[in-house]
């Protein structure tokens, strides 16, 4: 890096506008005075002295002291004898005269826990082979494409033994064929940044730029993503910019003072989680976080980030009691600095990685989360639909006898379904800490639990919005998620679980082959009710539209165990309809109450439509119907 470029990067870093600060700071191969070595850089404005220490100097801070290059606290050092794989830390002399050993905030790799040193690991040794995927991604319309996400915690998907995990390359060999077989379009990984405590699931981070050593090296993770792309699978990563853990070797009071966190404890403390909030107003922290998002998207070719706990960033009183927080300058509870940062972050990300996915886990009714910043939005392009998730799980947990009293829970989401670009999430948070597994939430006997699960999943895939399902749900895991054990794969030896897995495979096939189920996900013309009012029988019916008249599907859902023969359903077009998918088919474990012959329309108005069909409504079942032929007059008109 020449002096002019270095000065420019330093200026942008302190302005909060250096989008690639990980190229300035951290440990990088360099050549100085004819010698090959590693250049180290760190931001520690309050430090009296900073040294690089490790086995190469017997952890002696007197041997490789860093040079402070400006008043804003950037320190650099060049060490010839250090190369890839060497471990190191920064020894920091605080303003109070204490020596602290800190991991590098910009390290690309770390020691395996419980050890905490950073590792030198240049990122330019891997040769990518996903050019076709990356090229196609540039022109892909993500809004009008099928997106079905398999959410995975690698360490408990499969492991060698408790606390001993497979390598990313081994997971690639096992997980990718499974995801392809199931029919998902994307894998979403719980955070794989370096974290000290397994049971934080990666959400309490110490190394924001470091791939966790639990599963291998940065190159191993690149291989995993590369293989996903070559097999047609996108990769989304959970990302946690809202808070960080307090472990001594991490970011907390990095140079002896509050640096990455707010100095004001009422803003810094996340008492609910025992973590610290980033100081979103500090320019260098903005450069750190924005660079971190871009780093994962660019260096690892990721297709998107799911941004964790956005509400905790937006609200000063999130998870706090009265007296534990302070109003903003306008007397409100919004964290105005965080709002400004989020907008700036998203603007930067979409300029650098235009067609990526930025998905907000935002649990409140904050407006325009997935709208551009130029119209006042936060700038994400997707938002998790937590309202739909809460309503539907509450409804499905209700005994079918009482569901008629809660009918609004399955219809209310359509009042706001097009106010944001939504993902329908059934995530890890809903199947842990005593909440029961998705299957075990379902009421009824053994057969009814599986039938309820199939009906719920069919309704989910028919409802507007992209889809996300946590691992284990696809084959009906009976126990809730056990984060210290792997999934109960032995359940697939039992017919009902094997049939549920087969059901999800076929549901995904249907989903991907029917543009009406995803092409107009975010537009009102993609959906209309046929009948949303039949609360007495807990039956709803609706139409999903694609861009052409042929891409239309009628969906009929029955959330009771009653069978109804000769049931009238209004349809928008004349002709003959075929049941192309039924959650009650016998090979899925259903009762076999299917409509095996064509359903011809009767020219008598019903449910607001000009004609209707008469069909069998299966128990706890969902039917997908497509028109297969029309009368001659309509054929001529079309």
């Amino acid at each position: 890096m020449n002096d002019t470029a270095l000065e420019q990067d330093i200026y942008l870093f302190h302005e909060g506008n250096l989008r690639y600060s990980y190229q300035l700071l951290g440990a990088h191969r360099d050549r100085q005075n004819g010698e090959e070595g590693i250049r180290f850089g760190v931001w520690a404005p309050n430090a009296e002295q900073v040294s690089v220490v490790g086995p190469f100097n017997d952890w002696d801070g007197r041997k490789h002291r860093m040079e402070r290059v400006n008043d804003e606290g950037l320190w650099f050092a060049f060490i010839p004898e250090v190369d890839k794989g060497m471990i190191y830390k920064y020894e920091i002399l605080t303003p109070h005269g204490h020596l602290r050993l800190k991991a590098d905030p910009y390290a690309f790799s770390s020691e395996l826990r419980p050890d905490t040193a950073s590792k030198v690991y240049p990122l330019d040794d891997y040769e990518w082979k996903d050019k076709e995927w990356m090229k196609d991604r540039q022109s892909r319309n993500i809004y009008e494409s099928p997106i079905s996400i398999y959410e995975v915690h690698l360490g408990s998907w499969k492991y060698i033994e408790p606390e001993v995990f497979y390598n990313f390359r081994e997971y690639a060999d096992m997980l990718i064929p499974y995801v392809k077989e199931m029919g998902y379009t994307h894998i979403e990984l719980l955070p794989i940044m370096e974290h000290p405590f397994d049971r934080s699931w990666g959400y309490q981070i110490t190394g924001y730029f470091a791939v966790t050593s639990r599963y291998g090296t940065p190159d191993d993770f690149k291989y995993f993503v590369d293989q996903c792309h070559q097999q047609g699978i996108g990769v989304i990563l959970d990302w946690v910019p809202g808070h960080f853990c307090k472990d001594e070797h991490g970011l907390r009071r990095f140079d002896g003072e509050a640096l990455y966190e707010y100095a004001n404890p009422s803003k810094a403390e996340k008492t609910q989680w025992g973590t610290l909030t980033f100081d979103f107003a500090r320019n260098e922290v903005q450069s750190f976080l924005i660079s971190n998002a871009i780093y994962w998207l660019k260096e690892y070719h990721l297709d998107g980030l799911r941004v964790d706990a956005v509400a905790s960033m937006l609200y000063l009183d999130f998870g706090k009691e009265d007296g534990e927080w302070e109003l903003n300058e306008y007397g409100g509870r919004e964290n105005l600095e965080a709002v400004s940062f989020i907008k700036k972050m998203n603007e930067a990300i979409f300029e650098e990685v235009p067609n990526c996915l930025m998905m907000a886990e935002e649990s409140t009714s904050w407006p325009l989360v997935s709208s551009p910043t130029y119209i006042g939005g936060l700038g994400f392009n997707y938002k998790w639909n937590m309202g739909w998730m809460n309503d539907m799980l509450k409804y499905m947990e209700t005994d079918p006898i009482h569901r008629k009293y809660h009918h609004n829970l399955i219809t209310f989401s359509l009042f706001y379904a097009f106010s944001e670009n939504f993902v329908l999430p059934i995530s890890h948070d809903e199947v842990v800490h005593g909440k029961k597994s998705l299957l075990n939430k379902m009421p009824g006997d053994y057969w009814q639990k599986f039938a309820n699960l199939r009906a719920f999943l069919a309704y989910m895939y028919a409802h507007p919005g992209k889809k996300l399902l946590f691992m284990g749900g696809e084959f009906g895991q009976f126990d809730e998620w056990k984060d210290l054990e792997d999934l109960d794969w032995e359940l697939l030896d039992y017919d009902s679980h094997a049939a549920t897995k087969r059901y999800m495979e076929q549901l995904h096939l249907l989903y991907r082959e029917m543009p009406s189920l995803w092409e107009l996900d975010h537009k009102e013309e993609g959906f209309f009710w046929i009948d949303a009012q039949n609360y007495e029988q807990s039956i709803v019916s609706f139409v999903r539209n694609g861009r052409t008249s042929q891409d239309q599907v009628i969906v009929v859902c029955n959330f009771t165990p009653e069978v109804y023969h000769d049931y009238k359903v209004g349809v928008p077009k004349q002709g003959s309809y075929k049941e192309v998918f039924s959650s009650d088919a016998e090979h899925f474990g259903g009762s076999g109450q299917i409509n095996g012959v064509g359903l011809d329309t009767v020219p008598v108005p019903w449910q607001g439509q000009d004609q209707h069909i008469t069909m069998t409504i299966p128990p706890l079942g969902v039917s997908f119907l497509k028109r297969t032929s029309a009368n001659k007059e309509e054929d001529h008109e079309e």
Side-chain angles (χ1 to χ4, degrees), residues 132-143 145 186 234 303 355:
E132 185 176 344
W133 172 275
M134 297 299 285
K135 180 181 178 182
D136 290 346
R137 195 178 77 178
Q138 293 175 11
S139 58
R140 190 177 304 143
N141 185 336
I142 56 176
Y143 307 104
S145 299
H186 291 73
D303 302 283
N355 221 22

Side-chain angles (χ1 to χ4, degrees), residues 110-113 152-160 163-172 189-195 197-198 201-202 211-222 224 237 471 481 483:
S110 300
E111 286 186 293
L112 179 64
R113 49 94 175 97
V152 177
H153 176 256
L154 281 177
S156 57
W157 186 74
K158 281 186 181 179
Y159 61 31
I160 299 171
E163 300 185 12
V164 181
F165 309 115
Y166 291 103
N167 182 277
F168 282 116
R169 294 173 186 262
E170 294 172 306
Y171 280 119
L189 297 174
L190 271 61
I192 52 91
M193 300 81 175
E194 196 58 79
H195 54 283
F197 184 44
D198 286 6
W201 312 331
V211 172
T212 177
S213 295
R214 288 168 177 81
Y215 311 126
T217 67
D219 284 352
D220 293 334
F221 183 51
K222 288 182 178 181
F224 177 87
L237 183 61
M471 63 184 197
W481 177 37
D483 59 343

Side-chain angles (χ1 to χ4, degrees), residues 29-62:
R29 284 180 178 145
D30 202 359
R31 185 180 180 88
Q32 295 187 17
N33 300 321
E35 285 190 290
E36 302 285 344
I38 299 296
R39 170 177 52 84
F40 294 89
V42 67
W43 174 56
N46 299 299
E48 295 293 328
Q49 179 59 54
V50 184
S51 300
V52 185
V53 295
F56 49 85
N57 61 16
D58 299 319
W59 300 92
D60 187 343
R62 295 169 297 181

Side-chain angles (χ1 to χ4, degrees), residues 112-126:
L112 179 64
R113 49 94 175 97
D115 296 323
T116 58
S118 302
K119 277 187 180 179
V120 174
Y121 203 101
L123 295 178
D124 52 3
D125 292 338
Y126 185 83

